[in-house]
Amino acid sequence: MTAHTSPTSSPATPRVALVTGGTGGIGRVVVDRLVADGFTVAVHYAGNKEKAEAFVADLTARGATAISVGGDVADENDMQAAFDAVESAFGGIDVVVNTAGIMILSPISELNLDDLDRMHRVNIRGTFVVSQQAARRLRNGGALINVSTSVTRTQLPTYGAYVASKAAVQSITLILARELRGRDITVNTVAPGPVATPLFLDGKDEATVANFAKATPLERLGRPEDVAESVAFLAGPARWVNGQVLYTNGGLA
């Protein structure tokens, strides 16, 4: 896939992407995919600076242009500083991929409300803060890609609070796409099905994982690369896909 250029960039200038949660299971593979498509990348981390810097060193050794930026996605000052750092290093931002998020599962009747607040702070406020910065900073021809979940449609027990936060992500995305009329900026959400990442596999026994794998017509769990493929599509050639939720789930309901 060829990296596309924005109207503010020359054909020889790589597009610049900021990936929040860029050292995580999906985020890291998204970064790899965007680099393969010719992007310059900023790898965001929340707390593990050493991990992010090691990843950037690996990317640089492979010939990529990359930096790491830190901060709490739900803190507007942190995110303003992160966007500032990317613009200072590369002159602007063309794509923001917001993979940062947490998942805490519990029946609604038993959920610790502190966990509810923590999850919603990262998933809802964090998405809002990052989306707000993206709306202010993305160059014309840019793209914002948020991440939700296919469980907004499958309504699995114990996912109530998590799905509530991700339904908010979808709503923020769909409205922002309309608010950016005239900017030539696309705003979409990727909603993965079950993907074999530590976030998904944590706390699940083999039988549970096998049942999730059989639930799709393709009879397997998704891979981070499957999600990265959808992100790359929305970040590059998909200029007529806007204000949509792309269910990347192997045919799950």
Side-chain angles (χ1 to χ4, degrees), residues 115-201:
D115 288 338
L116 176 71
D117 292 342
R118 183 161 64 93
M119 184 162 49
H120 283 203
R121 184 178 189 277
V122 175
N123 295 356
I124 297 178
R125 182 183 170 93
T127 296
F128 197 98
V129 168
V130 172
S131 296
Q132 186 177 68
Q133 286 296 319
R136 295 170 178 173
R137 308 289 195 102
L138 282 170
R139 292 188 282 209
N140 287 0
L144 168 63
I145 301 136
N146 288 318
V147 177
S148 179
T149 173
S150 288
V151 189
T152 55
R153 298 202 304 195
T154 58
Q155 294 99 37
L156 292 175
T158 75
Y159 280 79
Y162 177 68
V163 164
S165 73
K166 290 302 189 177
V169 169
Q170 294 183 11
S171 296
I172 291 167
T173 299
L174 301 183
I175 290 172
L176 183 57
R178 277 74 187 174
E179 291 180 347
L180 294 183
R181 172 182 292 273
R183 292 273 304 279
D184 191 24
I185 293 171
T186 62
V187 187
N188 294 288
T189 286
V190 174
V195 178
T197 65
L199 181 69
F200 170 77
L201 296 172

Side-chain angles (χ1 to χ4, degrees), residues 50-116:
E50 293 74 17
K51 183 178 180 181
E53 290 183 341
F55 184 29
V56 167
D58 174 61
L59 293 169
T60 303
R62 289 189 263 146
T65 302
I67 61 170
S68 62
V69 293
D72 176 358
V73 291
D75 186 301
E76 64 273 29
N77 295 316
D78 280 4
M79 287 302 97
Q80 181 174 332
F83 276 73
D84 285 346
V86 180
E87 289 182 338
S88 177
F90 304 128
I93 305 174
D94 300 293
V95 172
V96 173
V97 185
N98 190 24
T99 75
I102 61 174
M103 179 172 67
I104 302 169
L105 302 182
S106 169
I108 291 171
S109 62
E110 300 172 14
L111 181 70
N112 184 311
L113 293 182
D114 288 339
D115 288 338
L116 176 71

